[in-house]
Amino acid sequence: AQKVTQAQTEISVVEKEDVTLDCVYETRDTTYYLFWYKQPPSGELVFLIRRNSFDEQNEISGRYSWNFQKSTSSFNFTITASQVVDSAVYFCALNSNTDKLIFGTGTRLQVFP
Amino acid sequence: DTGVSQNPRHKITKRGQNVTFRCDPISEHNRLYWYRQTLGQGPEFLTYFQNEAQLEKSRLLSDRFSAERPKGSFSTLEIQRTEQGDSAMYLCASSSRTGGDYEQYFGPGTRLTVT
């Protein structure tokens, strides 16, 4: 079975705090892809990152960083020095030997000034 | 580069009526996907096309739902005899598999409310 679990339903932080969003996935396939999407209040899903199962290197893009660990089946997302504009729902998703994305239930991040 | 567009953005209909949504993918993307998202949940896969061929349909897609992609360009999703449980955001996405590019790019969605 393929599944994505985002155990954190909602996180609230104050601006400039660092925050980590957790994602745990399940799949029996050896080749798969993991994604993070951002859904701001406007509703449109915005692609943030794709990582394939053979590349465990962590990635940093500005204030965003991702930690992929196959040993724990996790693909966590950290925002450094959070800003109010980061407030959104963040979804982790899995694409495993099919073309459909399997999404977690999302984590709502609220960043207060 | 124009993104994925969806029309209408909002639709309110009475139970039992038929509705049709349209999705225009990113130019030259040969794959087009439909997802449904209910409040507080992540998007759930409904169906997808490669060019004009519908390759997979979810069990979520009952007989009242039909999707088409004539000529492999835009797609329509029709719901017949709508029910209150059909109220959701319907999301369309497109992708191109060339060069290992597997990201799906989403449109703004059509929010359906069935009264």
Side-chain angles (χ1 to χ4, degrees), chain A residues 8-27:
Chain A
Q8 304 152 308
T9 304
E10 187 164 340
I11 301 175
S12 295
V13 298
V14 177
E15 225 175 2
K16 298 185 183 176
E17 284 186 31
D18 298 347
V19 58
T20 295
L21 310 181
D22 298 333
C23 172
V24 174
Y25 63 92
E26 295 176 30
T27 179

Side-chain angles (χ1 to χ4, degrees), chain A residues 33 35 37 39 42-47 49-50 91 95 98-106, chain B residues 9 31 33 35 37 40-43 45 48 56 91 97 100-108:
Chain A
Y33 297 83
F35 302 78
Y37 283 85
Q39 189 173 43
S42 60
E44 187 164 344
L45 281 161
V46 178
F47 166 76
I49 190 171
R50 169 176 59 88
F91 290 97
N95 180 333
T98 70
D99 276 303
K100 58 188 175 187
L101 290 173
I102 297 167
F103 286 85
T105 50
Chain B
R9 294 292 307 276
R31 297 212 169 195
Y33 308 80
Y35 292 82
Q37 185 179 20
Q41 299 298 314
F45 170 79
Y48 87 95
E56 186 175 348
L91 295 165
R97 290 181 68 88
D101 179 358
Y102 291 104
E103 294 94 284
Q104 293 182 22
Y105 295 93
F106 284 80

Side-chain angles (χ1 to χ4, degrees), chain A residues 13-17 82-85 87 110-113:
Chain A
V13 298
V14 177
E15 225 175 2
K16 298 185 183 176
E17 284 186 31
S82 58
Q83 300 176 1
V84 172
V85 293
S87 297
Q110 294 199 54
V111 182
F112 293 99

Side-chain angles (χ1 to χ4, degrees), chain B residues 54-103:
Chain B
Q54 189 172 17
L55 296 186
E56 186 175 348
K57 294 196 292 185
S58 161
R59 289 173 295 173
L60 293 175
L61 217 62
S62 75
D63 292 344
R64 296 184 298 105
F65 288 71
S66 63
E68 294 182 343
R69 193 183 181 197
K71 302 178 184 178
S73 55
F74 70 92
S75 176
T76 58
L77 178 67
E78 181 183 16
I79 309 175
Q80 296 183 328
R81 305 181 302 282
T82 52
E83 301 173 355
Q84 287 188 323
D86 297 331
S87 295
M89 175 79 88
Y90 290 84
L91 295 165
C92 176
S94 70
S95 76
S96 168
R97 290 181 68 88
T98 59
D101 179 358
Y102 291 104
E103 294 94 284

